[in-house]
Amino acid sequence: MPLVSIKNELLRARQGGYAIPLFDTYDMNSTEGMFAAIEERRAPVIAAIYSTWMDFPWIPAYAAYIRARAEKSPVPVTLYLDHGADFEQCMRAISLGFTDVMYDGSKLPVEENMKNTKEIVRAAHAMGISVEAELGHVGQGSEYQDFAAQRKGFTDPELAARFVEETGVDFLAVAIGTAHGVYRGKPQLDLDLLAQIRAAVDVPLVLHGGSGLSEEQFRAAIKGGISKVNVATDLYRTTGRRLVETAQKEDGINYQGLMKAAMDSFQERCGYYLDLFGTTGKAPCQEF
Ligand SMILES: [Zn+2]
């Protein structure tokens, strides 16, 4: 089916108490592995391109490939800009056929984040595109002990309510104790804070920094109101290890063999998260 905005699926997920993963895929092998996983599990998914990759010259062709590939798939697929840097980048993504965009102004002063988000929401909505923004700031796992472990950057529930109201944003990324990349130390989630944010706003909530949480933490966060979980680092690390193992184990390994290993690794790992988040079986399927 054609690419679709994830908005309806996220509203269904919020209603149904499960979450939809966002996977930052990077190339055809990772994308094909992801497609194999969602098709065998009949699951909706968000395929994302990360902000800093948007300047690569192959991105327009890659976005066109995901669009064409989604059309051949019986499950809903969304093409999403992850951590959009500014208005211009969000608009460029939309011009390339992305169906939803995240604008990340979380490092800016709140009023500036709010002003920029509002501008992007207005333009995106005029084109039928949904927008995610981040309030509070999800930092880096390498700085976990100095930042999130000390509750720095956490989302304020009252401010969240005002932010959603004033910007008209469709989904809100929250900071409740996660971080991007590899965690230094053990991540701790503030589920009470999540409950307060959930009570204060009625848009689907997003958890960034999924790589490194325990299964129990994922389940608790989803039960507590998270409807979208971003996963990237774990996919890359798992697949990196698989490539090294494959190269060492198999005699006469060649480039094609490694590409197949990358695809298989993405298929398995994406499948693992789809099962864990309760996304499996949730696609409103169209036979084709
Ligand atoms: Zn993120």
Side-chain angles (χ1 to χ4, degrees):
M1 54 199 289
L3 285 174
V4 291
S5 164
I6 202 63
K7 187 166 183 174
N8 282 342
E9 292 307 315
L10 283 180
L11 292 173
R12 266 166 36 93
R14 194 179 54 150
Q15 202 73 23
Y18 59 94
I20 299 175
L22 172 149
F23 297 127
D24 286 299
T25 56
Y26 187 74
D27 58 9
M28 217 165 108
N29 300 313
S30 49
T31 305
E32 285 302 320
M34 181 197 73
F35 269 99
I38 59 170
E39 287 170 4
E40 73 184 356
R41 283 174 171 77
R42 300 273 157 178
V45 82
I46 303 163
I49 297 179
Y50 191 71
S51 164
T52 53
W53 306 340
M54 288 296 286
D55 293 331
F56 291 143
W58 45 267
I59 284 296
Y62 181 49
Y65 150 70
I66 295 178
R67 190 167 60 242
R69 184 62 182 80
E71 275 169 20
K72 299 284 173 208
S73 185
V75 295
V77 177
T78 293
L79 179 56
Y80 210 96
L81 172 65
D82 194 16
H83 289 279
D86 51 27
F87 182 91
E88 285 71 20
Q89 190 175 61
C90 291
M91 295 306 116
R92 181 161 170 259
I94 294 169
S95 77
L96 293 176
F98 287 52
T99 53
D100 306 84
V101 295
M102 177 195 185
Y103 163 66
D104 182 0
S106 66
K107 282 187 187 161
L108 301 172
V110 173
E111 297 303 325
E112 209 177 326
N113 184 8
M114 205 173 300
K115 180 177 159 283
N116 294 351
T117 301
K118 198 172 172 178
E119 262 175 32
I120 290 165
V121 166
R122 186 168 178 225
H125 281 186
M127 294 180 274
I129 306 290
S130 302
V131 180
E132 172 185 336
E134 180 170 321
L135 183 68
H137 178 63
V138 177
Q140 295 299 319
S142 56
E143 297 161 3
Y144 193 74
Q145 294 309 320
D146 308 319
F147 194 71
Q150 299 188 32
R151 304 180 55 82
K152 287 183 186 160
F154 278 24
T155 305
D156 176 271
E158 270 179 41
L159 193 55
R162 182 161 80 88
F163 188 92
V164 170
E165 172 77 26
E166 288 191 17
T167 60
V169 78
D170 301 279
F171 325 123
L172 187 68
V174 295
I176 57 163
T178 56
H180 294 105
V182 179
Y183 287 88
R184 193 157 61 79
K186 254 188 152 179
Q188 301 290 337
L189 302 187
D190 187 339
L191 295 170
D192 291 337
L193 177 61
L194 175 60
Q196 290 170 37
I197 301 167
R198 181 75 185 79
V201 303
D202 61 0
V203 297
L205 301 179
V206 181
L207 192 70
H208 283 244
S211 304
L213 298 188
S214 68
E215 293 188 356
E216 203 185 339
Q217 286 176 314
F218 277 124
R219 286 197 195 97
I222 293 166
K223 195 165 171 234
I226 292 292
S227 306
K228 169 177 174 277
V229 181
N230 285 24
V231 181
T233 302
D234 177 63
L235 299 174
Y236 306 145
R237 286 169 64 88
T238 308
T239 302
R241 279 196 298 272
R242 173 76 74 91
L243 292 178
V244 171
E245 281 164 21
T246 308
Q248 286 168 346
K249 254 197 300 195
E250 289 180 26
D251 275 348
I253 187 72
N254 58 20
Y255 183 55
Q256 290 93 321
L258 288 174
M259 288 197 294
K260 168 85 169 51
M263 235 181 280
D264 290 348
S265 168
F266 260 79
Q267 180 176 357
E268 287 168 25
R269 210 57 192 157
C270 291
Y272 164 80
Y273 285 112
L274 293 165
D275 291 344
L276 179 60
F277 298 165
T279 335
T280 296
K282 297 300 195 306
C285 277
Q286 290 183 354
E287 291 309 327
F288 66 111

